[in-house]
Amino acid sequence: MRFASSSSSANMIVTSTPAPDLAFTNLAYCSHSDLHGFAVPGKKLYLASVGDLFVLSVAGHESIRNGHIALNSIQRRHAKVSAGDTISVSRFIPPDGFDLALLTLELEFVKKGTKNEQIDAVLLSNQLRNRFIDQVMTTGQRVTFEYHGNNYIFTVNQAAVGGQQNSNSLERGMIASDTHFVFETSNASGIKIVNQREAASSNIFRQKEFNLQSLGIGGLSAEFADIFRRAFASRVFPPHVTTKLGIKHVKGMLLYGPPGTGKTLMARQIGTMLNGREPKIVNGPEVLSKFVGETEKNVRDLFADAENDQRTHGDQSELHVIIFDEIDAICKSRGSTRDGTGVHDSIVNQLLTKIDGVESLNNVLLIGMTNRKDLLDEALLRPGRLEVQIEISLPDENGRLQILQIHTNKMKENSFLAPDVNLEELAARTKNYSGAELEGVVKSAVSYALNRQLSLDDLTKPVDEESIKVTMDDFLNALHEIIPAFGASTDDLERCRLNGMVDCGDRNKHIYQRAMLLVEQVKVSKGSPLVTCLLEGPSGSGKSALAATVGIDSDFPYVKIVSAEAMIGLLESTKCAQIVKVFEDAYKSPLSIIILDDIERLLEYVAIGPRFSNIISQTLLVLLKRLPPKGKKLLVIGTTSEVGFLDSVGICDAFSITYHVPILKTDDAKKVLEQLNVFAGEDIDAAAEALNDMPIKKLYMLIEMAAQGELGGSSEAIFSGREKIKISHFYDCLQDIVRY
């Protein structure tokens, strides 16, 4: 028998498969001399179209005579022939793009009444893919196979090539390494399929597993899990599954949070993880144009490829990812801009039309990023638009450790990281740092290490690479150089207690202990998400220092001081906006402390009149009573020297508890002087008596003055313990303070 061309056919005599085990291969067998007539040019494949019903892979067998073709019983039954009959057989040459994207199979036992079996769809998919690779499957075809000691038959219910489905023509295609299987069974079959979801996974991702650290993403595992569940879980399944569920894919996602937390990085890595087309990355301002109508055209052009793809391939089109960085620059709330052109409003309208309009696209994923979610138009944030909104907040301690490991990994691999570097300690000491700031810390530490190898006298001197070591001291120096923008740094808190903390008596100790109990209450209590405490007392009594100490000792991730010195010259409305922003930032952290220092100064209080800012007063009253979002806890500590005024305007009532911070009595002053050790033993009692009813801030000022000596210049010897303050000079300085 000879085939002159791919369209030539011949009648061959049907015979039985030469051996029982060959019946499970789904191959047709012929003589070796006939085999070359089924060869596919350029490939080591032999394919035969049998009776124009199905296509079988052909193998040669020495027991088959020329002009005969061996079919198993299932194949003969489907072709409606018996052994000895003749059937039309022709060589089949597969067209381009013939690989199967999806194969839906209905399973049943060869022998009815076989005991119930549970089949893992993932394992079965792998076995069928390996066993029947490069074989052609046709809708309606039945194939026998053996699996774990049982004999099964699968019926091809759907064979989708390249994701296309056409019910008006014969569906067939070739099993490839990336063909995805979906298994179906009847209730009476006795077969239960498990892990169907894993087996039906699509190939929209380039890898099956994600190691976020290898992608440079640290501390965002929970956020990435939410993104995958909301935006990609439905896309993993074949299109007909989501059609049966009656759902549409998520088309928009918004990543928001403080600057430097990894929003842009995550969006870019999502783009690199996806198969298919490269994502389009555009910065918000790049869309704007000075020409009329050009801006709207730029937006339409971003979606042009997706429109053409959907028009051509329908639900089987590829996923088109569009990444908008700084989306708040172009999608501001409609009506909020006063430029007179209405361009920003038109951009929002254009985006809404493309994503969720009458002819909306279902093959687009728009990823927007912003640190000003409040500026965006509300219509963009509704379901069907940017409906998945993931907050990328500051990393916790474990997240900071992951980020530091990512940025120091190459140093460690190349032996540039000194053994004394403790990343766990660094993660604990960088509470308010964002991912970008942690990267800055690493860069700064490296700069210290490199600088040690350079000589400013001779910059051409060769550098010994092996001697470069980044030490723990380099990282500690970098922490002083890179200051976190979010929350207050330790330096800010330390400035409020320049003289440190000393034992000022039982009353001050009691207030500190009670304040720390409030800190613990905020940490563990489920019924107290907001706790407020007011420290009132005379000016200089140590209220700010006490509040700062509580903030440092609390170990809260977010501690922020709101003081009037940072708002000098600002308008009332601007001050209100800054205060509100501090509270909004605090709501982003699970545990926060806000210190409202010198509230009367924030309110611009003047005793003559009296005069104060009612706008700021009302803002504080609202914020002090507003509960933080679910899962967030806040402690607000206020300080004031004008408690009578605050009481008259109702602010005292807004605080849960008020503590009076007293000035020093004689016994308290003596304790402080003993700790300072600046007086001789016989002079301490006299000095302490003179300091009765003295604020501690003035006490420190008086000691500093007295330590200078009558002619000045002896303070170093005094505070080093080599000399003592003369009591006579101390009295002179005391008279100056009392007099003036």
Side-chain angles (χ1 to χ4, degrees), residues 377-408:
D377 192 275
E378 291 183 359
L380 275 173
L381 306 179
R382 293 173 185 164
R385 288 92 182 250
L386 299 180
E387 58 182 285
V388 178
Q389 297 160 28
I390 304 294
E391 181 178 4
I392 310 297
S393 56
L394 292 175
D396 57 13
E397 185 170 333
N398 183 56
R400 295 193 296 273
L401 177 59
Q402 291 180 21
I403 294 171
L404 289 170
Q405 288 172 341
I406 289 170
H407 292 301
T408 59

Side-chain angles (χ1 to χ4, degrees), residues 331-631:
C331 293
K332 290 184 174 65
S333 181
R334 284 173 289 184
S336 62
T337 56
R338 298 289 183 268
D339 56 4
T341 63
V343 170
H344 287 84
D345 294 358
S346 297
I347 295 174
V348 175
N349 294 334
Q350 197 69 251
L351 279 176
L352 292 177
T353 302
K354 292 299 181 184
I355 300 175
D356 196 32
V358 176
E359 297 181 357
S360 60
L361 301 171
N362 200 35
N363 60 343
V364 167
L365 179 62
L366 179 66
I367 304 177
M369 292 161 288
T370 180
N371 49 35
R372 291 298 305 274
K373 180 185 174 184
D374 55 299
L375 295 180
L376 296 181
D377 192 275
E378 291 183 359
L380 275 173
L381 306 179
R382 293 173 185 164
R385 288 92 182 250
L386 299 180
E387 58 182 285
V388 178
Q389 297 160 28
I390 304 294
E391 181 178 4
I392 310 297
S393 56
L394 292 175
D396 57 13
E397 185 170 333
N398 183 56
R400 295 193 296 273
L401 177 59
Q402 291 180 21
I403 294 171
L404 289 170
Q405 288 172 341
I406 289 170
H407 292 301
T408 59
N409 187 42
K410 286 191 175 180
M411 287 185 223
K412 192 173 183 180
E413 290 178 355
N414 295 288
S415 302
F416 288 139
L417 197 64
D420 67 332
V421 175
N422 188 336
L423 296 183
E424 288 81 4
E425 180 183 345
L426 290 173
R429 297 181 67 157
T430 51
K431 286 183 295 186
N432 300 314
Y433 284 74
S434 66
E437 288 163 345
L438 289 172
E439 183 181 4
V441 169
V442 176
K443 289 180 181 177
S444 176
V446 171
S447 71
Y448 280 106
L450 295 177
N451 190 59
R452 283 198 301 273
Q453 306 302 319
L454 299 176
S455 172
L456 294 179
D457 297 331
D458 184 9
L459 293 177
T460 61
K461 181 180 178 181
V463 176
D464 182 10
E465 293 184 6
E466 295 183 358
S467 64
I468 298 176
K469 293 291 181 182
V470 184
T471 65
M472 188 66 175
D473 287 338
D474 294 331
F475 279 98
L476 296 179
N477 290 331
L479 292 182
H480 293 291
E481 191 169 69
I482 307 298
I483 305 300
F486 189 78
S489 68
T490 304
D491 292 341
D492 292 334
L493 297 174
E494 291 291 353
R495 286 185 67 244
C496 293
R497 53 172 205 178
L498 292 176
N499 298 297
M501 288 297 293
V502 295
D503 184 0
C504 299
D506 294 339
R507 177 60 184 168
N508 292 74
K509 184 178 180 180
H510 172 75
I511 295 173
Y512 170 77
Q513 291 174 343
R514 299 303 297 178
M516 292 307 296
L517 285 177
L518 294 178
V519 169
E520 192 64 24
Q521 177 182 341
V522 172
K523 283 184 180 179
V524 302
S525 175
K526 295 182 179 179
S528 303
L530 174 64
V531 176
T532 54
C533 170
L534 179 64
L535 303 179
E536 62 88 8
S539 178
S541 57
K543 304 179 294 296
S544 299
L546 184 58
T549 302
V550 172
I552 293 173
D553 295 348
S554 69
D555 202 32
F556 276 20
Y558 180 92
V559 181
K560 186 71 173 179
I561 299 175
V562 181
S563 62
E565 68 179 22
M567 302 183 185
I568 295 175
L570 299 183
L571 299 175
E572 288 181 326
S573 58
T574 308
K575 289 184 179 180
C576 288
Q578 288 201 7
I579 295 172
V580 170
K581 185 179 184 303
V582 170
F583 276 81
E584 293 291 344
D585 288 344
Y587 297 152
K588 299 173 184 176
S589 173
L591 294 171
S592 306
I593 291 180
I594 295 177
I595 299 173
L596 301 174
D597 195 26
D598 279 342
I599 297 178
E600 65 274 12
R601 295 282 69 79
L602 290 173
L603 297 179
E604 303 176 1
Y605 168 69
V606 179
I608 301 173
R611 298 173 57 190
F612 66 94
S613 171
N614 185 56
I615 297 176
I616 300 177
S617 171
Q618 296 302 318
T619 300
L620 288 178
L621 285 173
V622 171
L623 294 174
L624 288 171
K625 294 181 180 180
R626 185 171 73 176
L627 293 177
K630 185 178 180 180

